[in-house]
Amino acid sequence: MFDERVNRVLKKMEERGLEQMLISDPNSIFYLTGRWILPNERLLALYLNRNGGHKLFVNRLFKVDGEIGIEKVWFSDTDPGCEIIASFTDHDKPLGIDKKMAARFLLELMELGAGSSYKNGSECVDSARRVKDEDEKAKMIRASQVNDQAMARFRGLIREGVTEMEVAAGMNAIYKELGTQGASFGPIVSFGANAAEGHHKPDGTVLKPGDCVLFDVGCKLDDYCSDMTRTFFYQTVNDRQREVYEVVKRANLAAQAAMKPGMRFCDIDKVARDVITEAGYGPYFTHRLGHCIGIEVHDAGDVSATNKDVVEEGMIFSCEPGVYLPGEFGVRIEDLMLITRDGAVSLNKDSKELEILS
Ligand SMILES: [Mn+2]
């Protein structure tokens, strides 16, 4: 158990009037214990109580070797897992539940009366995960450094007649050569009109001169994710592509320059959106500006018009404005940003100058 992280979660529980909670998200359990336990459809839960007596309920099928600083309660496939959990919870107090607990387990716990009521306790752990500690910052910085190295090499995969699928295969090979745990998602590479789809899946599309080439890529390293997007042009670029590129770049840079602790996520989104709207492309920026990231590519929390939460030092999230012209092309430029004491730094150093690949 990482005591400091557990204590932060317990403090968030106190702020929300929760004395006890069950955490079932394997990512959150990894965050708190340093152990990966992937139960698939089986029951797994970490029970936290502000008065102590934390417990990890885990099926015997999973290896959790050695002392991990928390009592393990083992059960087998034929044991009544929820009944075992309910024999330890305080039935007279509200029970916090995280958003990943399967409904079938929660419904059974409710029938058993495991708590006096049931509250969504996800934010207690999600908000702790959102602010990175020094160890996490170092891992996130390293994952993005390696992602920059990968992006430098991805340019070299672009050649006449290549398909998106061939480039994607090359990208996965590069991530392997760089010693990562592999791509953290996708990876996405889209040519021309395909780049106007936000999450295009690489297919047999053949590259042709004048296409944009959009790479949205990330790797996992030391269990932490990176994520960045660069958009290039193949052999030639026309005036409209150049204009859109420069607008998106300005939006990316303006939002990054504005970021600082105390600002609301929605205000950061607005800075980028205003640049794009003023240039006349507002309707074509069809998604939120960014998302939090860490153990998962999309950690809870986003940089969007509806998120009024305040940004804090130590948070890491993406800044990824885009303009998508259906049937024509799309441009997205994405960096991961670390909020510092008085501003923000980009974890990605790869150039954002308009680049024509040949
Ligand atoms: Mn992203």
Side-chain angles (χ1 to χ4, degrees):
M1 292 278 271
F2 295 114
D3 291 338
E4 208 169 297
R5 295 179 188 176
V6 173
N7 287 337
R8 282 170 59 201
V9 175
L10 294 172
K11 188 151 178 296
K12 306 275 185 189
M13 287 167 60
E14 185 177 6
E15 287 164 15
R16 286 166 175 79
L18 267 180
E19 241 175 65
Q20 54 176 355
M21 99 169 263
L22 287 168
I23 296 167
S24 56
D25 181 351
N27 296 290
S28 294
I29 291 174
F30 172 76
Y31 172 73
L32 295 172
T33 66
R35 298 298 182 99
W36 278 117
I37 308 165
L38 301 172
N40 294 315
E41 81 283 6
R42 290 184 168 90
L43 178 63
L44 171 73
L46 175 64
Y47 175 70
L48 295 183
N49 189 308
R50 274 172 35 221
N51 304 314
H54 312 319
K55 287 179 178 56
L56 181 69
F57 297 94
V58 57
N59 192 301
R60 284 186 202 286
L61 287 174
F62 305 108
K63 265 169 70 91
V64 187
D65 291 338
E67 188 52 56
I68 63 164
I70 181 172
E71 185 188 340
K72 290 174 257 186
V73 180
W74 296 99
F75 55 87
S76 73
D77 273 350
T78 49
D79 288 330
C82 286
E83 282 179 36
I84 293 170
I85 291 178
S87 72
F88 288 100
T89 57
D90 186 339
H91 295 205
D92 299 323
K93 296 272 168 61
L95 180 60
I97 303 287
D98 77 355
K99 61 184 184 287
K100 295 280 177 79
M101 179 172 279
R104 64 184 182 283
F105 298 135
L106 176 56
L107 290 167
E108 192 178 342
L109 289 166
M110 290 169 86
E111 281 163 17
L112 291 163
S116 62
S117 63
Y118 305 86
K119 306 263 186 229
N120 183 346
S122 291
E123 263 302 288
C124 299
V125 59
D126 290 344
S127 61
R129 278 175 55 183
R130 208 144 45 230
V131 177
K132 271 57 183 175
D133 58 33
E134 293 309 314
D135 178 60
E136 292 185 289
K137 277 185 217 168
K139 286 175 174 162
M140 291 291 291
I141 289 168
R142 185 77 195 117
S144 280
Q145 281 171 348
V146 173
N147 209 25
D148 275 344
Q149 291 168 17
M151 187 64 89
R153 292 182 57 184
F154 292 165
R155 290 164 167 88
L157 298 170
I158 294 305
R159 56 181 164 77
E160 179 142 24
V162 78
T163 67
E164 291 171 347
M165 275 191 303
E166 287 164 350
V167 175
M171 291 157 76
N172 283 321
I174 287 169
Y175 276 137
K176 208 167 214 175
E177 284 169 29
L178 289 171
T180 73
Q181 292 162 290
S184 49
F185 63 93
I188 297 170
V189 57
S190 342
F191 300 157
N194 293 343
E197 302 167 35
H199 286 99
H200 174 72
K201 197 170 179 302
D203 61 22
T205 303
V206 176
L207 183 65
K208 54 183 196 308
D211 277 348
C212 68
V213 177
L214 184 151
F215 287 104
D216 184 351
V217 298
C219 57
K220 218 168 189 196
L221 188 68
D222 272 339
D223 298 304
Y224 280 80
C225 297
S226 56
D227 185 7
M228 77 187 299
T229 306
R230 290 293 182 267
T231 307
F232 306 110
F233 296 93
Y234 182 56
Q235 290 188 354
T236 61
V237 58
N238 65 34
D239 290 348
R240 189 164 154 86
Q241 288 169 328
R242 188 180 290 276
E243 182 197 334
V244 167
Y245 188 89
E246 293 303 330
V247 168
V248 173
K249 190 177 87 177
R250 274 211 314 278
N252 170 288
L253 293 173
Q256 295 191 4
M259 290 174 189
K260 58 172 191 253
M263 205 174 174
R264 298 180 304 175
F265 282 103
C266 56
D267 297 326
I268 296 173
D269 180 274
K270 188 171 186 305
V271 171
R273 203 163 298 277
D274 282 353
V275 171
I276 291 174
T277 301
E278 276 159 27
Y281 292 101
Y284 304 102
F285 178 15
T286 47
H287 54 74
R288 62 191 182 187
L289 179 66
H291 54 87
C292 294
I293 181 167
I295 295 168
E296 292 175 276
V297 187
H298 288 192
D299 268 2
D302 64 11
V303 192
S304 74
T306 53
N307 186 356
K308 308 244 181 329
D309 288 351
V310 168
V311 167
E312 294 171 43
E313 183 180 354
M315 287 182 174
I316 296 178
F317 48 80
S318 68
C319 174
E320 47 180 308
V323 167
Y324 311 96
L325 302 177
E328 294 183 59
F329 66 96
V331 173
R332 179 163 65 252
I333 305 175
E334 172 184 26
D335 301 300
L336 292 191
M337 303 301 299
L338 165 64
I339 299 297
T340 57
R341 186 191 299 253
D342 53 5
V345 290
S346 174
L347 302 189
N348 296 105
K349 313 294 182 193
D350 190 79
S351 169
K352 290 183 277 199
E353 293 306 308
L354 189 148
E355 212 172 310
I356 296 172
L357 305 176
S358 48

